[in-house]
Amino acid sequence: MITIYFAAGQSRWQNYEAPLRTALAEAGIIADLSPDCSDPAAVFYIIFAPGGEIEDFTPFSRCKAVLNLWAGVERVVANPTLTQPLCRMVDPALTAGMVEWVLGHTLRHHLGMDRHIINPSRHWEPTCSPIAAERPVTVMGLGALGQACATALQQVGFPVRGWSRTEKQIPGLTTHHGTDGLKAALTDAKTVVLLLPKTPATENILNMETLSFLATGAAILNPGRGHLIDDLALLAALDSGAIGHATLDVFRTEPLPQEHPFWSHPRVTVTPHIAAETRPNSASRVVVDNIRRGEAGQPFLHLVDRDRGY
Ligand SMILES: NC(=O)c1ccc[n+]([C@@H]2O[C@H](COP(=O)([O-])OP(=O)(O)OC[C@H]3O[C@@H](n4cnc5c(N)ncnc54)[C@H](OP(=O)(O)O)[C@@H]3O)[C@@H](O)[C@H]2O)c1
């Protein structure tokens, strides 16, 4: 019998208890799974979400892994008391949700859908959009989410460039990496999708200088993290028309404060951090697979590199 502490909050427990118990039974794991913990030293695995019960991991002396329910780990990775392996969430259903959000919002801008959905003057202007092959897209971040989105965009017909920290070769994509590859990745892009993690190295990656590399009137989609964009530089580029539109799902402060200029800017669409969420049924299988691996002495999947910060 192994002890698993669900330290991701009572409200999530309502949604996760049944899928986790099902996944544990399917994996043949006999476990004491609970949202309460009276003896931290007895806990083998912690299922974790930021804002939950744990700030100090020190008492969990026998814990083999902390299994994060979120893809992003910026709120736990730098916790100095966390010495146990930290695994992040790579959930097929979360990835599918992100692909749909990115495809939908890319096609909205590409097809100029707003012109026809909101047309109170009944203006008849039969102008077709170019086809996707004529509209280069750049995906910043080629991890679990970025690669899936880049591949889906490429399958629709967009020429896709990707940018990552380390060199990558992905069939059908043109790839760039590192600081030296940033300008080549962004130059003349008509759409930029940000799927980078929040680390010191990615702060303000879109700023006055890098925004100027994009094609005039480009669209920016940010389902990554709010800090990736210098907000003031973006607002200035939107005001001047250098950037045509920004669809933003994540912000430096969430919920986005009522007085923030993004809410009222005619070239900004705000979505409330809903691009993709972890889904209990599939995520429970991911978590339990890592517990099974831990018990079998196999390496954990989706391990976070503390030094890299993601
Ligand atoms: N809005 C939402 O609902 C939502 C939902 C889930 C996740 N997210 C966000 O999406 C982010 C990405 O998730 P993921 O699962 O795809 O992460 P991931 O698998 O860890 O991939 C991160 C990617 O970013 C690249 N990267 C990191 N630092 C970089 C740097 N300094 N310069 C260039 N590239 C850099 C990595 O490069 P390498 O491949 O070379 O390491 C990797 O390709 C998460 O961190 C989270 O912030 C948002």
Side-chain angles (χ1 to χ4, degrees), residues 225-280:
R225 282 292 181 261
H227 90 298
L228 298 172
I229 301 180
D230 176 339
D231 288 358
L232 293 178
L234 176 60
L235 285 164
L238 288 162
D239 288 341
S240 72
I243 300 298
H245 201 98
T247 297
L248 309 173
D249 186 58
V250 285
F251 305 91
R252 286 166 191 271
T253 305
E254 295 182 5
L256 183 66
Q258 288 295 315
E259 64 281 7
H260 198 288
F262 285 157
W263 279 117
S264 54
H265 201 290
R267 293 173 188 251
V268 175
T269 299
V270 171
T271 64
H273 203 145
I274 45 77
E277 65 173 2
T278 309
R279 315 282 164 149

Side-chain angles (χ1 to χ4, degrees), residues 88 142-145 163-166 168 197 223-225 249 276 310:
R88 61 191 205 88
L142 291 173
L145 299 176
W163 185 69
S164 52
R165 189 180 56 85
T166 57
K168 300 232 178 311
R225 282 292 181 261
D249 186 58
Y310 68 97

Side-chain angles (χ1 to χ4, degrees), residues 175-194:
T175 52
H176 303 275
H177 66 279
T179 312
D180 292 347
L182 183 58
K183 187 170 185 185
L186 290 175
T187 297
D188 293 334
K190 274 304 272 182
T191 303
V192 174
V193 181
L194 295 171

Side-chain angles (χ1 to χ4, degrees), residues 36-118:
D36 304 309
C37 175
S38 55
D39 180 9
V43 171
F44 277 30
Y45 298 94
I46 296 171
I47 300 173
F48 182 80
E53 289 81 0
I54 306 178
E55 292 296 333
D56 182 4
F57 289 89
T58 316
F60 297 92
S61 51
R62 288 168 70 201
C63 175
K64 298 183 188 181
V66 174
L67 307 167
N68 199 41
L69 290 181
W70 289 18
V73 293
E74 69 272 10
R75 288 172 63 185
V76 62
V77 71
N79 185 323
T81 69
L82 178 62
T83 53
Q84 299 85 346
L86 172 66
C87 302
R88 61 191 205 88
M89 179 51 64
V90 178
D91 165 21
L94 180 148
T95 303
M98 184 62 82
V99 168
E100 291 172 18
W101 188 94
V102 167
L103 273 183
H105 286 280
T106 301
L107 287 171
R108 169 195 169 194
H109 296 304
H110 168 60
L111 295 174
M113 286 180 179
D114 293 7
R115 278 180 297 155
H116 307 123
I117 293 170
I118 306 161

Side-chain angles (χ1 to χ4, degrees), residues 285-296:
R285 286 195 284 274
V286 174
V287 163
V288 168
D289 188 43
N290 251 341
I291 293 172
R292 181 195 62 72
R293 295 176 74 90
E295 291 310 288

